Amino acid sequence: MNIDIKQFAALQKASKESFFEQKKLLKQVMSGRTVPCSICKQPLKLYTPEEGVLTGIRCAKGCTDIALDFA
């Protein structure tokens, strides 16, 4: 399987944009802002180790589910 330079550049650009969008979303939720899920529009909630559940950011329906490791 061969991938040309233009396809690779487009993939890199899409990955970079996705990374920065998720980083922005994480910052907003962790700072206490209300951020709606992009699919169901319910607010995203931060789950920390103190809550005794899997850590991460999720909506009530589970459309958005970002796992986080807390050190």
Side-chain angles (χ1 to χ4, degrees):
M1 179 178 146
N2 291 331
I3 186 167
D4 69 17
I5 298 297
K6 288 181 184 179
Q7 288 175 323
F8 185 69
L11 179 62
Q12 276 185 312
K13 182 179 179 186
S15 295
K16 182 179 178 181
E17 289 172 358
S18 175
F19 172 80
F20 285 110
E21 282 300 314
Q22 279 196 3
K23 185 177 174 183
K24 179 181 167 186
L25 182 134
L26 292 172
K27 282 183 178 182
Q28 290 175 341
V29 173
M30 292 177 117
S31 69
R33 288 179 142 178
T34 301
V35 180
C37 171
S38 61
I39 298 170
C40 69
K41 305 302 181 207
Q42 293 187 5
L44 297 176
K45 182 175 180 201
L46 174 66
Y47 294 91
T48 60
E50 291 82 26
E51 296 178 42
V53 295
L54 290 175
T55 59
I57 295 176
R58 295 186 285 283
C59 68
K61 289 186 176 182
C63 312
T64 299
D65 189 357
I66 302 171
L68 297 174
D69 289 330
F70 287 84

